[in-house]
Amino acid sequence: MSQQTLHHSLVSQSMAAPPSGRAFLDLPYAVRYRIYALAGLVRFCPIDLNLEGANKMRPIGPTTCRCHYYKIRFDCHQDDAFGYLRDEDVILNYVYPRLPYELLYVSRAVHDEVQSIFYSENKFRISRSNQWRLKPLGNLSPEALASLTSLTVRLNNYECLFAHDCRSPPVDCMCHPLCNSHNLHDQPLGHLAQEDISLISDWNDIVIRIAAHIRPSRLSLSVICDTQGQEAAQLIVQPLLQLPLLKHSALRLGGKPNWELQGIATRMANRLIGRLHNPAKDHAAPRFTSLPEEI
């Protein structure tokens, strides 16, 4: 083959029409979302950042999840006499496939879409008492933080949740990682020991990072930190004033009913979602004379 013929052949191949057919991103978004969901990108249960966090961007085996997720905390929503919000969903022995991290490496466009869906459609939780502490949350990218819609941060768990026995089935324990196996819990925040100072410092750093990237009126944030007294409680709630408006907020500052701590949590929870503070509606211990006549 002459040099001219070879050159003509190479030019013809380089100018050939691209392969026909539709690319993955040409599919409707609803179809792509369904594919992502079937691949395991969206879960019913909250995703534990301590176990499957951003610091472990590698394949993880299937996760057995009981979906036994108790959200019992002091906040402004009173569903019983003690001011608890009770929300309980239980699905026993459901096995989730590992998170499909491979989707992040398909292409830049798929990466951005997958990341947005993953952090916006799932609920996340993290515990400072568990492995890696709050580091996985701090490692999230600004884009991931901006996509978050649901986050529960457990800073301190002094004892089992009120009226809940972690040793009774189902055995998954949501109050402390060592509660069920070793019956261990954190000490309540309040003595300002070295561990307390470290907790407050870590919490301030995390709030500053979250505040810099989350979108207003998008994130539902729950914070759990068992404290001893109002002074320690204020050290936990004051950093939250740096956050933009939240979609929903819930605070638990003690494992047992305490009117003073509940008042601090209620006022801050209302403030974080933009509700005006009305001192006349502050929660206070009920008076005997305010009880119904039949009681």
Side-chain angles (χ1 to χ4, degrees):
M1 180 181 295
S2 66
Q3 184 175 0
Q4 182 178 3
T5 305
L6 177 63
H7 174 74
H8 177 75
S9 175
L10 292 175
V11 171
S12 299
Q13 292 180 19
S14 64
M15 297 179 61
S20 60
R22 304 182 67 181
F24 176 74
L25 291 176
D26 293 330
L27 296 174
Y29 175 78
V31 175
R32 299 199 306 272
Y33 179 90
R34 181 64 175 168
I35 293 174
Y36 295 144
L38 292 174
L41 190 65
V42 180
R43 291 184 176 180
F44 175 79
C45 288
I47 294 175
D48 193 327
L49 288 174
N50 296 105
L51 302 179
E52 300 177 282
N55 59 317
K56 294 184 176 183
M57 292 301 292
R58 54 185 173 82
I60 299 176
T63 301
T64 301
C65 179
R66 291 181 176 271
C67 277
H68 187 70
Y69 186 55
Y70 276 96
K71 291 182 288 185
I72 304 178
R73 61 228 177 191
F74 290 112
D75 67 359
C76 53
H77 302 276
Q78 300 226 0
D79 286 354
D80 63 17
F82 297 109
Y84 286 112
L85 172 65
R86 298 184 181 273
D87 184 1
E88 176 182 347
D89 293 309
V90 179
I91 296 180
L92 297 178
N93 299 325
Y94 187 84
V95 179
Y96 276 110
R98 62 180 178 83
L99 293 173
Y101 292 119
E102 294 86 352
L103 292 174
L104 296 172
Y105 305 109
V106 173
S107 68
R108 170 57 62 180
V110 172
H111 171 280
D112 294 343
E113 187 170 66
V114 165
Q115 178 176 257
S116 176
I117 294 174
F118 179 69
Y119 288 107
S120 63
E121 296 293 328
N122 287 298
K123 299 178 180 179
F124 295 89
R125 69 183 182 216
I126 191 168
S127 172
R128 189 179 180 274
S129 304
N130 213 333
Q131 60 181 339
W132 303 102
R133 299 205 167 196
L134 300 179
K135 183 179 179 181
L137 181 57
N139 284 346
L140 293 184
S141 67
E143 294 78 13
L145 291 171
S147 299
L148 282 178
T149 58
S150 178
L151 175 65
T152 296
V153 181
R154 296 177 179 271
L155 297 175
N156 185 313
N157 282 107
Y158 173 54
E159 57 186 358
C160 289
L161 299 176
F162 185 69
H164 170 60
D165 184 3
C166 291
R167 290 168 292 185
S168 61
V171 297
D172 284 4
C173 180
M174 293 296 103
C175 65
H176 193 281
L178 297 179
C179 174
N180 185 264
S181 59
H182 297 83
N183 195 30
L184 293 178
H185 299 87
D186 301 311
Q187 291 298 314
L189 182 71
H191 296 295
L192 292 184
Q194 185 62 40
E195 181 62 22
D196 296 334
I197 296 174
S198 176
L199 184 153
I200 295 170
S201 176
D202 291 348
W203 177 231
N204 274 280
D205 292 342
I206 283 295
V207 173
I208 290 173
R209 177 159 176 78
I210 293 176
H213 302 292
I214 64 172
R215 301 173 186 173
S217 303
R218 178 181 176 88
L219 177 64
S220 294
L221 176 66
S222 298
V223 179
I224 298 172
C225 185
D226 294 333
T227 62
Q228 278 190 337
Q230 300 181 51
E231 181 180 356
Q234 291 292 349
L235 293 175
I236 297 301
V237 301
Q238 287 301 316
L240 294 172
L241 295 175
Q242 304 173 71
L243 298 175
L245 285 180
L246 302 177
K247 180 179 180 180
H248 176 266
S249 62
L251 305 174
R252 193 191 91 185
L253 300 175
K256 295 180 179 179
N258 181 295
W259 302 112
E260 289 76 18
L261 296 181
Q262 182 184 345
I264 294 174
T266 299
R267 288 189 292 272
M268 181 56 68
N270 284 331
R271 187 168 180 177
L272 291 174
I273 60 176
R275 291 183 183 174
L276 296 177
H277 172 55
N278 186 350
K281 293 185 178 181
D282 278 353
H283 297 289
R287 298 180 181 179
F288 178 77
T289 56
S290 64
L291 294 175
E293 185 176 337
E294 57 271 20
I295 296 180

